[in-house]
Amino acid sequence: MAATSPLKSPLYINTARAPNLPSLLPVNPSQAKILTNRGITIRCDNLPQNLSVGFPSGTDRIPSIQSSSLSLSSSVSMAATSVSDSASKNVKRVCLFYCDETRALAQRIAAESDVIELCSITWRTFEDGFPNLFIPNAQAIRGQHVAFLASFSSPKVIFEQLSIIYALPKLFISSFTLVLPFFPTGTSERMEDEGDVATAFTLARILSNIPTSRGGPTSLVTFDIHALQERFYFGDNILPCFESGIPLLKNRLQQLPDSDNIAIAFPDDGAWKRFHKQLQHFPTIVCAKVREGSQRIVRIKEGDPQGRHVVIVDDLVQSGGTLVECQKVLAKHGAARISAYVTHGIFPNRSWERFEFDNGGHPGKGLTYFWITDSCPLTVKEVINKPPFEVLSLASSIAAALQI
């Protein structure tokens, strides 16, 4: 609301934007200098900075809010711009390197975000078979956030990727993130007999010695590591970020026509410990391996599969023997349909071929769906478009993790 009294008493100017001055500064109107006859300017002399208040021509009264040069709409616009600028500053632009095996997954990750840029590496070998590697335009990534998407599918490819992983943080980058969707030695995490070598601990120690970047220790992003205690195998020079593929499964189950008739089966107590909290709103069936003579068979420990679409959930599959036995016992106890999910489909020696497609309601003979993620790229190439297999991509989850 505009003031109505003439300027006869000292005017107080708000100096909130000048932190070294009092909050209200008195100015004697008799000492103010009129610079033009078209307006009145009150100036504060002998101060760290000049503070002035302008008055419209032809009046000696304080102008109303409506006559301010900054309207409410422009103020809101400026505030929105400020918020937008602040948000854009918080978004990390990431240079994502990858190995040959993870090229397709890297492309899907980049498609998920405008702030992820793919960067290539020249992968070559010398005549003796050892790697001959080159990072093109290495100076261009100085000061950038850098990530490497790895796949340790065999000991043969681990050394060449470790050479790159150890080199990237030393190129004056702002931060370094290693994305290793599948931690391959996870099943060898403990000693049962004297002389056993826990290779999961060995790999964790190797990764814990990645050189620090300018931003500090390396961040490691991995999915559904086999044993929860393996997080304690890593040293202080690496920051493990443990993600899960289970949210992808939950989203897929919601899309099924019988989504209200789903039950989750765990093939053993280990799978139940890993995943039951994420899937606790589903009816649960827990199976267990028991020994009968020289054989180990699977039995239902708790839960009832009768009439349900039962989804067997585990972290990984190799030969698939346990899943097959679990499928048989669930079908025997009345499951209407049976599917399976594993985050890591390893399937050495093409063991995926033992899983048939149930195309006619015969759960004892085949699976309706077998969901895996693209954490093991070589497997994806083999099973793509082959029922019952269906690949759920980790691309969006990885893209989100790179912004942490």
Side-chain angles (χ1 to χ4, degrees):
M1 186 173 112
T4 57
S5 58
L7 190 62
K8 293 182 179 179
S9 58
L11 174 66
Y12 287 87
I13 301 178
N14 192 337
T15 61
R17 294 182 179 272
N20 295 325
L21 298 178
S23 60
L24 291 176
L25 181 69
V27 178
N28 191 334
S30 64
Q31 297 175 351
K33 183 177 179 180
I34 302 177
L35 297 179
T36 67
N37 57 7
R38 297 186 57 83
I40 299 175
T41 300
I42 298 178
R43 189 178 63 215
C44 303
D45 297 320
N46 301 322
L47 292 172
Q49 67 183 55
N50 291 335
L51 303 175
S52 62
V53 175
F55 291 81
S57 174
T59 180
D60 60 353
R61 302 180 187 277
I62 298 176
S64 66
I65 294 177
Q66 287 80 358
S67 66
S68 172
S69 60
L70 290 179
S71 67
L72 179 60
S73 60
S74 63
S75 298
V76 171
S77 177
M78 290 176 64
T81 302
S82 176
V83 171
S84 176
D85 292 344
S86 176
S88 63
K89 290 179 181 179
N90 292 330
V91 174
K92 290 167 54 179
R93 301 199 66 85
V94 179
C95 300
L96 178 61
F97 292 87
Y98 53 90
C99 64
D100 285 340
E101 286 183 15
T102 59
R103 180 188 302 271
L105 177 55
Q107 291 171 345
R108 286 191 287 270
I109 294 171
E112 291 286 336
S113 174
D114 294 333
V115 296
I116 297 177
E117 177 185 357
L118 293 184
C119 301
S120 61
I121 292 170
T122 303
W123 303 91
R124 303 170 299 196
T125 57
F126 292 108
E127 292 184 0
D128 60 1
F130 276 84
N132 176 15
L133 311 172
F134 181 70
I135 303 173
N137 202 14
Q139 288 189 341
I141 64 173
R142 288 185 174 183
Q144 302 297 314
H145 297 286
V146 174
F148 181 77
L149 179 61
S151 176
F152 291 176
S153 60
S154 71
K156 179 180 178 180
V157 300
I158 291 178
F159 178 70
E160 64 178 12
Q161 292 181 63
L162 284 176
S163 300
I164 294 294
I165 291 166
Y166 272 58
L168 286 172
K170 301 174 74 173
L171 295 177
F172 295 95
I173 60 178
S174 290
S175 69
F176 181 61
T177 301
L178 171 61
V179 182
L180 183 62
F182 172 50
F183 190 75
T185 58
T187 55
S188 181
E189 85 285 2
R190 64 185 182 273
M191 294 175 56
E192 294 185 351
D193 295 311
E194 187 66 29
D196 285 343
V197 177
T199 52
F201 182 61
T202 304
L203 182 56
R205 291 179 69 185
I206 292 173
L207 298 180
S208 297
N209 284 281
I210 297 173
T212 57
S213 67
R214 293 177 63 190
T218 294
S219 298
L220 169 66
V221 177
T222 193
F223 286 80
D224 291 322
I225 199 164
H226 182 68
L228 298 179
Q229 68 267 22
E230 289 175 7
R231 69 177 61 229
F232 304 111
Y233 293 174
F234 296 92
D236 293 338
N237 288 331
I238 193 167
L239 304 174
C241 178
F242 296 103
E243 299 287 342
S244 178
I246 294 299
L248 298 175
L249 171 64
K250 292 166 69 174
N251 290 338
R252 184 66 182 94
L253 294 181
Q254 292 176 357
Q255 301 168 8
L256 298 180
D258 57 352
S259 59
D260 58 346
N261 192 40
I262 299 292
I264 302 297
F266 299 108
D268 51 39
D269 288 335
W272 179 84
K273 290 178 181 178
R274 289 183 205 100
F275 300 127
H276 79 280
K277 289 185 178 179
Q278 297 185 69
L279 297 165
Q280 59 186 348
H281 58 288
F282 290 101
T284 299
I285 302 162
V286 181
C287 299
K289 293 179 182 178
V290 296
R291 185 176 296 277
E292 286 191 357
S294 60
Q295 294 183 332
R296 297 191 70 182
I297 64 174
V298 175
R299 286 184 175 176
I300 294 178
K301 182 179 177 180
E302 61 179 82
D304 183 10
Q306 180 68 42
R308 296 278 189 176
H309 181 177
V310 182
V311 180
I312 308 169
V313 175
D314 209 347
D315 62 319
L316 59 85
V317 58
Q318 296 217 36
S319 67
T322 299
L323 288 183
V324 170
E325 293 301 317
C326 191
Q327 173 191 350
K328 290 179 179 179
V329 71
L330 291 170
K332 183 179 179 181
H333 284 77
R337 303 168 74 190
I338 300 176
S339 297
Y341 165 86
V342 295
T343 303
H344 311 296
I346 305 168
F347 296 118
N349 303 317
R350 298 175 64 89
S351 59
W352 54 269
E353 293 178 336
R354 70 189 303 172
F355 293 96
E356 299 181 5
F357 175 47
D358 174 22
N359 195 25
H362 301 92
K365 297 181 179 180
L367 298 175
T368 304
Y369 299 99
F370 197 143
W371 293 290
I372 63 173
T373 75
D374 45 6
S375 66
C376 299
L378 297 182
T379 298
V380 171
K381 291 181 180 179
E382 292 183 340
V383 306
I384 195 72
N385 298 324
K386 290 183 174 68
F389 293 98
E390 186 177 299
V391 178
L392 307 178
S393 181
L394 296 171
S396 60
S397 301
I398 294 173
L402 291 177
Q403 288 298 312
I404 298 176

